[in-house]
Amino acid sequence: ALTGQQGDRRREERERGITIDLGYVYADLGEGSLTGFIDVPGHERFVHNMLAGASGIDCVLLVVAADDGVMPQTREHLAIVELLGIRRALVALTKIDRVEPARIAEVQQQINGLLTAGPLAGAPIFPVSSIRGDGIDALRTALIEEAARTAARSDSGHFRLAIDRAFSVTGTGVVVTGTAFAGRVRIGDELLLGPTGKRVRVRGLHAQNREVGEAHAGQRVALNLAGERLAVEQIHRGDWLLHPLLHAPTQRIDIDFQLLPGEAHELKHWTPVHVHLGAQDVTARVALLEDASLVPGERAFAQLLLNAPSHAVHGDRIVLRDQSAQRTLGGGRVLDPYAPPRNRRRAARLEQLRALAQPSLEQALPPLLASATNGIDPQGLERQFNRPREGWQLPHGVLEISTRLGPRLFDRARWSELEVILLAALQR
């Protein structure tokens, strides 16, 4: 009703009347530019597909049917949206042509009660009928206003894209699509693909379903790739397409983790889980770094030991589901994508994680350097935070020292202490 297009691409979806996989629709809602919609499954069996599509979106359009009301999957989807850090929402109360006005008011109360305790409290609710067209114009107007408020994402970082589709086009070759998480990409750029780091070249670009010469963070992007012996069978949902400097596959990630308040039991150390990062779903173990268990609703530092290589940068959002992929346990924010295998629970390491819990590199750097005896490699920080060095504003008291192995950053006071220690040793 909003776009005039069908979001379900598969014949099985249309026959059964149920969304199974991600659907992609682009439409001009009336403001002259294309708005991109990612249609995600609602069914509990396909939450893993929903997570692959929800990462990277700006605004969620939460759909609640007036006849069904708030369902268990509605609550799970809302929890996931909050864990992913999405803070803008509209609610479509659909199928109002099937129920009495009293039922509409009842479900509106349910929705308000569901949203009240969370960050999406006060999200506007639009009663609509896709059959009669009731409320569709009001919802379209609200979406146009949301699109106008969408701030352009910073494209200062190196390019990274989470792949959610890969296919072959006759006469064109391999095409991948996904949401650009950071940076810019141009035709002719060389990028690295997937955990193997296969080198590919960008032959063609579409952004928001239009042919372009350059695409940037926040856009839905389709890239026509060329590479030696490149085949679509080599590419999987969840793979990353990266600027070469960012390619450093990891299987240990330290996070700031929160267990959902609705969980019935404590989370134990070494619990097996499914980790959702970008469009990737990978199994892992959770190593709690402060206690042997975590109480529902509480936060703690944790290390994820992944069973397959992944890619992450500081600040990425992660969602954890249980071993059987039946329910969402909680989620967190990436602190260190290159976590150490040893001494992960020592006081000094926990102090580093508290420093990394700061939102930016500039805020995290001083406390990190204060405990770094041998300084810190700036290229490692550049990769960890995806912050090119030319854009850094180094805080006062940070020194950059040239060495035979390249530059290192030191805390000025710590550097002076090292000088005193060294001179005293030489004197002895």
Side-chain angles (χ1 to χ4, degrees), residues 54-380:
S55 290
I57 67 172
D58 297 295
C59 177
V60 62
L61 179 58
L62 183 68
V63 181
V64 180
D67 50 357
D68 289 331
V70 172
M71 301 288 282
Q73 57 263 40
T74 312
R75 299 180 185 278
E76 184 171 21
H77 279 219
L78 186 63
I80 289 169
V81 164
E82 293 176 5
L83 292 170
L84 290 174
I86 301 165
R87 295 296 179 260
R88 293 164 56 199
L90 304 175
V91 182
L93 176 54
T94 62
K95 303 183 183 179
I96 61 171
D97 52 287
R98 294 189 175 188
V99 299
E100 299 297 321
R103 175 60 178 170
I104 297 172
E106 179 187 349
V107 178
Q108 282 181 310
Q109 286 187 330
Q110 286 182 11
I111 295 168
N112 282 323
L114 179 67
L115 299 178
T116 296
L120 299 179
I125 302 172
F126 296 87
V128 297
S129 167
S130 298
I131 305 299
R132 298 192 311 225
D134 300 1
I136 297 297
D137 287 341
L139 178 56
R140 182 182 289 112
T141 300
L143 281 166
I144 292 171
E145 291 172 356
E146 282 293 331
R149 282 200 292 269
T150 299
R153 298 192 196 182
S154 171
D155 55 15
S156 60
H158 299 298
F159 182 74
R160 55 195 295 253
L161 176 134
I163 296 173
D164 50 36
R165 269 195 307 167
F167 50 91
S168 183
V169 178
T170 304
T172 300
V174 173
V175 175
V176 300
T177 72
T179 301
F181 275 53
R184 287 182 173 270
V185 64
R186 300 172 181 84
I187 293 175
D189 282 358
E190 287 202 344
L191 302 170
L192 299 186
L193 174 64
T196 61
K198 187 176 184 66
R199 191 169 293 275
V200 295
R201 182 174 55 83
V202 180
R203 292 204 309 190
L205 271 178
H206 280 72
Q208 299 296 107
N209 211 35
R210 289 175 173 167
E211 191 171 351
V212 294
E214 179 180 272
H216 57 79
Q219 293 182 317
R220 288 286 308 167
V221 184
L223 303 97
N224 176 208
L225 301 178
E228 185 179 353
R229 296 181 181 177
L230 180 65
V232 72
E233 294 78 20
Q234 301 167 351
I235 308 170
H236 308 282
R237 173 175 288 173
D239 287 349
W240 289 86
L241 194 59
L242 301 169
H243 183 283
L245 187 138
L246 289 181
H247 187 263
T250 178
Q251 290 187 239
R252 291 178 182 271
I253 300 175
D254 280 350
I255 64 170
D256 177 12
F257 175 69
Q258 180 179 21
L259 187 62
L260 287 176
E263 272 297 289
H265 306 287
E266 295 180 346
L267 181 81
K268 301 292 186 184
H269 176 73
W270 211 242
T271 297
V273 294
H274 280 260
V275 175
H276 294 267
L277 171 59
Q280 187 178 24
D281 174 5
V282 59
T283 57
R285 293 270 183 178
V286 182
L288 297 175
L289 303 183
E290 297 174 275
D291 291 297
S293 62
L294 184 62
V295 177
E298 294 297 311
R299 308 184 73 91
F301 295 134
Q303 185 172 110
L304 301 175
L305 287 82
L306 308 179
N307 293 324
S310 187
H311 158 77
V313 302
H314 179 275
D316 279 351
R317 296 283 181 160
I318 283 183
V319 174
L320 269 58
R321 305 190 79 222
D322 72 308
Q323 185 180 19
S324 59
Q326 295 297 309
R327 70 184 194 281
T328 300
L329 300 175
R333 195 166 60 94
V334 173
L335 301 180
D336 188 351
Y338 311 108
R342 296 181 181 85
N343 302 324
R344 61 190 178 201
R345 303 186 74 169
R346 286 193 175 179
R349 177 57 184 170
L350 295 177
E351 196 62 36
Q352 288 177 346
L353 292 178
R354 279 186 275 274
L356 288 166
Q358 299 294 326
S360 71
L361 171 62
E362 283 79 8
Q363 291 168 287
L365 193 52
L368 282 176
L369 287 173
S371 60
T373 301
N374 295 319
I376 296 177
D377 174 13
Q379 189 177 63

